[in-house]
Amino acid sequence: DQQVKQNSPSLSVQEGRISILNCDYTNSMFDYFLWYKKYPAEGPTFLISISSIKDKNEDGRFTVFLNKSAKHLSLHIVPSQPGDSAVYFCAAHPWGGGGYQKVTFGIGTKLQVIP
Amino acid sequence: DTAVSQTPKYLVTQMGNDKSIKCEQNLGHDTMYWYKQDSKKFLKIMFSYNNKELIINETVPNRFSPKSPDKAHLNLHINSLELGDSAVYFCASSQGTRTDYGYTFGSGTRLTVV
């Protein structure tokens, strides 16, 4: 049962344009949402997060939008750069810290930014 | 200076063998995790430790036994390896109560059981 779904396995975008990566979730208990970026042969790197009390969080070129009623979140990258080419994982977990949060990951979307 | 380091990076072994993967973090975090990325690319949590105490123990065969000798180390020992254990195993760490900084992952250990 996939509780976090990334339905687009891949995405190609021209350099300088906007990249939009989408993620849907089914578990109403999810309280915190995160995006990770992963290069080949490396571990995932934390990118940006958003809690359920917000609908938008911005960090430089990266913005995450959360639509709780639709159980949908998206990551916007503006402007896209070739170095952004990577696999992007959406992740979510219920409230809880100290190791208690069971983070559920999506399967990832491979982004290719074309120079 | 690597924040979360795993060894070995690659591990090829025969069915039935016992193997260990080591993980160390130098971030001062108090929580560490083991994740498994299977052939379908899903990242799934296996274990989490907080201050050397086992917190999460997902539905993982008993052949997998984590050991945390101190807050900076979390090792994974696997007994009687099976073909289905082939995967990439990621160690990660976090500062326990902080969920907004995410995890810091190691670069992974690719285990191949033949």
Side-chain angles (χ1 to χ4, degrees):
Chain A
D1 177 32
Q2 279 182 255
Q3 298 186 46
V4 176
K5 300 177 185 180
Q6 293 178 258
N7 293 319
S8 299
S10 63
L11 175 68
S12 288
V13 172
Q14 286 291 129
E15 181 179 3
R17 305 295 290 268
I18 183 171
S19 295
I20 300 176
L21 295 103
N22 293 305
C23 177
D24 297 296
Y25 63 96
T26 58
N27 190 337
S28 302
M29 300 299 292
F30 286 150
D31 193 56
Y32 222 87
F33 305 88
L34 309 98
W35 284 93
Y36 285 83
K37 178 170 76 173
K38 184 181 181 303
Y39 293 119
E42 293 184 13
T45 303
F46 171 70
L47 201 53
I48 193 170
S49 64
I50 188 168
S51 77
S52 60
I53 63 172
K54 294 184 176 181
D55 55 18
K56 176 183 174 181
N57 189 24
E58 198 171 346
D59 184 2
R61 296 185 297 113
F62 302 91
T63 304
V64 56
F65 295 92
L66 176 62
N67 182 334
K68 280 196 302 181
S69 60
K71 292 192 175 68
H72 177 83
L73 64 154
S74 60
L75 174 68
H76 292 209
I77 307 173
V78 184
S80 301
Q81 299 173 354
D84 296 330
S85 297
V87 176
Y88 288 78
F89 289 97
C90 173
H93 66 80
W95 182 89
Y100 288 94
Q101 65 272 38
K102 289 187 184 182
V103 180
T104 301
F105 284 81
I107 202 168
T109 295
K110 186 174 183 179
L111 172 67
Q112 182 184 21
V113 180
I114 304 165
Chain B
D1 197 19
T2 307
V4 179
S5 59
Q6 295 179 229
T7 54
K9 194 168 177 65
Y10 299 97
L11 186 53
V12 180
T13 187
Q14 290 188 320
M15 283 175 56
N17 284 351
D18 303 339
K19 290 293 178 185
S20 292
I21 306 171
K22 295 186 177 181
C23 179
E24 176 181 3
Q25 55 96 3
N26 62 5
L27 298 165
H29 288 166
D30 60 2
T31 308
M32 296 185 73
Y33 312 82
W34 277 110
Y35 271 79
K36 177 182 179 181
Q37 187 178 34
D38 60 24
S39 57
K40 294 182 180 177
K41 304 301 181 186
F42 280 108
L43 266 166
K44 294 182 181 176
I45 189 163
M46 301 173 69
F47 305 102
S48 78
Y49 270 76
N50 178 267
N51 284 314
K52 302 194 299 176
E53 181 186 349
L54 181 64
I55 301 297
I56 294 175
N57 185 351
E58 281 297 274
T59 310
V60 175
N62 291 338
R63 301 181 293 101
F64 290 79
S65 53
K67 292 244 181 351
S68 181
D70 55 57
K71 283 196 313 183
H73 295 84
L74 179 60
N75 304 322
L76 184 65
H77 188 77
I78 315 169
N79 289 328
S80 303
L81 278 155
E82 300 177 358
L83 291 176
D85 297 332
S86 296
V88 181
Y89 293 85
F90 289 99
C91 177
S93 71
S94 68
Q95 188 51 37
T97 55
R98 297 301 300 266
T99 56
D100 51 339
Y101 287 172
Y103 297 165
T104 302
F105 280 87
S107 58
T109 296
R110 182 175 292 276
L111 171 65
T112 304
V113 182
V114 297

